[in-house]
């Protein structure tokens, strides 16, 4: 606090603290407390709210555990969100290393600008674009057929393939930037020393670069997994008839059934999952929450 006062002055520091407290309290804490309280109350007509039937119970949570289909969708969401996280890491790590240690300082800003251009377009428009690209008679199948790679069009929008493609495209940059930030802080002399000692490239990455990048990898993994598991636009627009996402069920409870109580219970189950994932990532990479938040 004293550091902020010395750097920004009293008036600006108070403004920053008040705005931050307002954001946390009004936009995060209070809505979550409201949903948490509603998740234990039954869905009742307005006239019966506050009456003898309006009591706290675990019935809304038990609805989930009594529904094999919802449990299956929950497991698929966990599994494919994890797959998206791994694919984003596989794609982002080489590019992050290239930008941090190989590319010239003049080329990096241009490359970053090109990478950020898709973010100028809303997520819903990007999802619609991928729906067109991946359709049975879309540009991707036409191109692959013309060059002779495939003979008949592939149904990309089938199962979870299209959802995975859309989520990886949407969230890969959230993996790239934290890893780039970690690798950039690595002293290049350490990499050169390993190479001078005869270390092959894969051992240099395994023993030098990757350990130093753990905070960035952990931060990127947390963001990509949570954003993927909580995504609603991409699964809704790119899903097929045999693929569902857990957020779609939450949306159905809240907006189609108008049952915010059960929807709140389902939302908190998803929140518990994300909290468990963050804890597991911190333990696996042996990093603290402050390292992930950097």
């Amino acid at each position: 606090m004293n550091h902020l006062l010395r750097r920004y002055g009293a008036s600006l520091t108070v403004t920053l603290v008040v705005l931050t407290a307002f954001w946390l309290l009004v936009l995060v804490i209070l809505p979550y407390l409201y949903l948490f309280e509603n998740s234990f109350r039954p869905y009742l007509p307005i006239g019966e709210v506050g009456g003898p039937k309006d009591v706290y119970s675990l019935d809304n949570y038990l609805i989930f555990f009594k529904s094999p289909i919802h449990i299956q969708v929950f497991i698929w969401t966990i599994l494919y969100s994890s797959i998206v996280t791994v694919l984003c890491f596989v794609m982002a790590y080489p590019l992050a290393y290239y930008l941090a240690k190989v590319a010239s300082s003049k080329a990096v800003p241009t490359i970053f600008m090109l990478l950020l251009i898709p973010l100028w377009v809303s997520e819903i428009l990007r999802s619609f674009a991928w729906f067109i690209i991946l359709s049975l008679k879309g540009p991707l199948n036409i191109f692959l057929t013309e060059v002779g790679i495939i003979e008949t069009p592939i149904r990309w929008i089938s199962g979870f393939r299209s959802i995975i493609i859309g989520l990886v495209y949407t969230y890969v940059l959230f993996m790239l930037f934290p890893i780039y930030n970690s690798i950039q802080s690595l002293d290049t002399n350490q990499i050169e020393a390993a190479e001078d000692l005869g270390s092959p490239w894969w051992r240099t990455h395994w023993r030098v670069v990757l350990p130093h990048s753990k905070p960035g990898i952990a931060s990127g993994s947390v963001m990509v997994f949570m954003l993927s598991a909580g995504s609603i636009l991409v699964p809704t627009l790119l899903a097929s008839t045999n693929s569902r996402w857990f957020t779609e069920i939450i949306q159905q409870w809240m907006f189609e059934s108008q049952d915010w109580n059960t929807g709140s219970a389902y939302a908190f189950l998803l929140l518990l999952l994300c909290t468990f994932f963050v804890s597991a990532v911190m333990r696996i990479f042996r990093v603290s929450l402050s390292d992930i938040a950097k």
Side-chain angles (χ1 to χ4, degrees):
M1 190 69 172
N2 292 331
H3 173 70
L4 290 175
L5 287 172
R6 289 194 302 269
R7 184 172 182 179
Y8 299 111
S11 59
L12 185 57
T13 299
V14 171
T15 302
L16 291 173
V17 171
V18 170
L19 290 177
T20 303
F22 174 83
W23 181 80
L24 288 174
L25 181 64
V26 178
L27 302 180
V28 179
I29 297 176
L30 290 180
Y32 271 103
L33 288 177
Y34 176 77
L35 288 177
F36 182 72
E37 191 262 346
N38 270 296
S39 68
F40 294 99
R41 299 173 65 179
Y43 174 60
L44 297 171
I46 297 178
E48 297 183 15
V49 174
K53 295 182 180 179
D54 191 2
V55 295
Y56 293 106
S57 68
L58 295 174
D59 291 344
N60 295 326
Y61 291 90
L62 294 176
I63 291 175
F64 168 78
F65 292 103
K66 293 178 181 179
S67 175
I69 296 177
H70 291 177
I71 294 175
Q72 183 182 26
V73 173
F74 187 73
I75 294 173
W76 285 128
T77 301
I78 298 171
L79 175 62
Y80 286 108
S81 296
S82 301
I83 292 175
V84 168
T85 304
V86 173
L87 291 176
C88 285
F89 169 73
V90 171
M91 295 177 62
Y93 176 79
L95 181 57
Y97 180 81
Y98 173 80
L99 291 172
K101 296 301 178 184
V102 179
S104 65
S105 57
K106 294 182 179 179
V108 171
T110 304
I111 297 174
F112 270 125
M113 185 188 70
L114 293 174
L115 291 172
L116 289 171
I117 286 177
L119 296 181
W120 300 353
V121 182
S122 68
E123 185 177 340
I124 189 170
L125 291 179
R126 283 179 283 159
S127 299
F128 270 123
W130 272 109
F131 180 83
I132 295 172
I133 293 171
L134 297 175
S135 60
L136 187 62
K137 296 183 179 180
L140 181 58
N141 274 328
I142 293 174
F143 172 76
L144 295 177
T145 305
E146 290 293 331
V147 298
I149 297 178
I150 60 175
E151 295 181 359
T152 57
I154 298 175
R155 290 189 177 275
W156 296 103
I157 304 179
S158 176
F160 289 89
R161 285 181 297 186
S162 55
I163 296 178
I164 291 175
I165 293 172
L167 290 175
V168 169
Y169 171 79
T170 303
Y171 300 126
V172 66
L173 293 182
F174 292 91
M175 180 71 75
L176 171 66
F177 293 138
I179 298 177
Y180 166 80
N181 186 53
S182 295
I183 297 177
Q184 191 182 39
S185 64
L186 174 64
D187 188 355
T188 307
N189 292 327
Q190 296 185 33
I191 301 175
E192 294 176 352
E195 294 174 349
D196 293 340
L197 292 172
S199 174
W201 66 269
W202 61 268
R203 188 182 295 274
T204 301
H205 282 273
W206 182 255
R207 300 295 295 272
V208 179
V209 183
L210 278 172
H212 187 83
S213 307
K214 286 195 299 183
I217 297 172
S219 177
S221 298
V222 167
M223 285 194 292
V224 171
F225 179 86
M226 295 182 69
L227 289 171
S228 298
S231 177
I232 182 64
L233 288 176
V234 174
T236 301
L237 294 174
L238 297 180
S240 63
T241 55
N242 56 352
S243 62
R244 295 187 70 190
W245 213 248
F246 195 67
T247 49
E248 294 181 88
I249 298 177
I250 297 175
Q251 184 187 45
Q252 288 175 354
W253 277 118
M254 289 191 167
F255 296 104
E256 295 181 16
S257 301
Q258 294 294 309
D259 186 352
W260 280 57
N261 305 88
T262 305
S264 299
Y266 275 54
F268 268 94
L269 288 173
L270 185 61
L271 179 62
L272 289 175
L273 163 68
C274 293
T275 303
F276 173 79
F277 182 84
V278 172
S279 302
V281 167
M282 291 171 57
R283 182 175 294 273
I284 292 172
F285 289 96
R286 298 179 182 178
V287 295
S288 63
L289 192 61
S290 59
D291 295 325
I292 294 178
K294 288 181 179 178

